[in-house]
Amino acid sequence: MKTLLCALIVFLCYNVSLCAQAKDYVELKLALVKNGEKPSCFKATLTNKTDSDMLITVNKYCLVSEVEFAGMENYCNDGQLILDSYDKYPEGIPLWIQLDPHSTCDIELPLFVSTYDLSVNRGILPSVESLAKEAKRARVYLKNIDVSLVRLPLTSEVITIYSNWIDVDGASIAELYWKE
């Protein structure tokens, strides 16, 4: 009985350890790209922080954006962002992403949510001027992706990776894009 209990404790600790490690070996960072004074897009960078090759299996709708407004309400664009703008995969939507050790993959995201075709939407900020003006912070995350390290023993976890929050001056951006 003690042996079975000890084995169960070791197994549970191992699973918790793998989950903690998965978040330590892959990183997602968000930045606002500017052309001169005018913001042009957001850029999310996915980084393999290990010495092993990494294989990430994705769903094309796994990318979610979140915007925090001045009144602390959140706007979440879930199920509409399509993960298809990788620099390594310009031809279409990847079902998997391979990252070499310590390499990165950039994802460019338009500033605003598309109002004309939600099936190809990749924007972050709401496309309504009054809402865009209230934007204070933004982030993205990849939900329920399978991250595998190609090494022995094979390490694989289904995780959600959150980017950093970035400050967004929604009032200035709205002024630049909705000039009268």
Side-chain angles (χ1 to χ4, degrees):
M1 185 70 161
K2 286 182 182 179
T3 305
L4 181 60
L5 184 58
C6 288
L8 180 62
I9 291 171
V10 168
F11 178 72
L12 289 174
C13 289
Y14 180 72
N15 280 341
V16 170
S17 172
L18 280 180
C19 187
Q21 289 174 2
K23 293 177 182 170
D24 291 338
Y25 57 67
V26 62
E27 180 178 60
L28 183 63
K29 283 192 175 183
L30 185 65
L32 186 59
V33 178
K34 294 184 179 184
N35 289 341
E37 295 297 314
K38 193 173 186 179
S40 60
C41 67
F42 288 95
K43 181 175 80 169
T45 302
L46 190 61
T47 304
N48 175 357
K49 299 182 344 182
T50 71
D51 293 329
S52 302
D53 287 336
M54 181 179 288
L55 185 63
I56 301 174
T57 307
V58 300
N59 169 328
K60 68 180 181 177
Y61 296 105
C62 69
L63 185 64
V64 179
S65 71
E66 205 173 359
V67 178
E68 186 178 277
F69 297 111
M72 301 302 286
E73 302 92 20
N74 277 2
Y75 164 81
C76 187
N77 192 10
D78 188 3
Q80 295 177 0
L81 284 175
I82 296 180
L83 186 62
D84 68 350
S85 56
Y86 288 100
D87 57 357
K88 290 185 174 182
Y89 304 96
E91 299 302 317
I93 300 166
L95 296 177
W96 52 269
I97 302 161
Q98 181 178 352
L99 289 173
D100 296 328
H102 303 286
S103 67
T104 62
C105 181
D106 291 332
I107 306 162
E108 287 186 4
L109 303 161
L111 289 175
F112 301 104
V113 170
S114 171
T115 56
Y116 61 90
D117 190 358
L118 291 178
S119 66
V120 295
N121 176 30
R122 293 183 301 270
I124 292 183
L125 299 176
S127 57
V128 177
E129 181 183 6
S130 60
L131 287 176
K133 281 182 180 181
E134 296 296 314
K136 295 296 178 196
R137 298 191 318 159
R139 75 172 174 181
V140 295
Y141 57 94
L142 295 169
K143 66 177 185 174
N144 301 325
I145 62 171
D146 187 327
V147 178
S148 302
L149 292 180
V150 184
R151 66 177 183 197
L152 292 175
L154 181 65
T155 304
S156 181
E157 285 292 326
V158 175
I159 62 171
T160 297
I161 305 170
Y162 291 89
S163 78
N164 54 308
W165 282 99
I166 60 168
D167 291 330
V168 176
D169 185 358
S172 296
I173 292 173
E175 187 178 309
L176 289 170
Y177 285 90
W178 281 283
K179 288 183 179 179
E180 297 172 313

